[in-house]
């Protein structure tokens, strides 16, 4: 089922993300990290996820085919598979 997002909520999300950056801190992440994205994501394009995975030491990138921004809604089985494979490798 769809959950419509109010315009005010979207505006606040844009403002919050525009005013905050943790880019310089990414190399400090020491926890095992899985960066997961959909190959059709137009909100956070896969190239962004690739940058995250490259900047976080030892991070693994999983790209879900034929999937947009709502990974867990659009492709829950593929997401679960990627997460379980990542966890099994720890």
């Amino acid at each position: 089922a769809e959950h419509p997002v109010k315009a005010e909520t979207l505006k606040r999300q844009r403002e919050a993300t525009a005013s905050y950056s943790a880019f310089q801190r990414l190399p400090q992440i020491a926890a095992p990290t899985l960066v997961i994205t959909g190959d059709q994501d137009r909100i956070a394009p896969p190239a962004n996820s690739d940058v995250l995975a490259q900047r976080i030491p030892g991070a693994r990138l999983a790209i879900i085919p034929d999937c947009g921004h709502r990974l867990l809604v659009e492709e829950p089985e593929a997401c679960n598979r990627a997460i379980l494979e990542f966890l099994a490798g720890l």
Side-chain angles (χ1 to χ4, degrees), residues 23 35 37-55 61 63:
F23 184 77
V35 178
T37 188
D39 70 348
Q40 303 298 312
D41 192 335
R42 293 181 294 172
I43 295 171
N48 292 8
S49 296
D50 187 49
V51 169
L52 289 175
Q54 288 180 29
R55 292 201 40 93
L61 175 63
I63 300 174

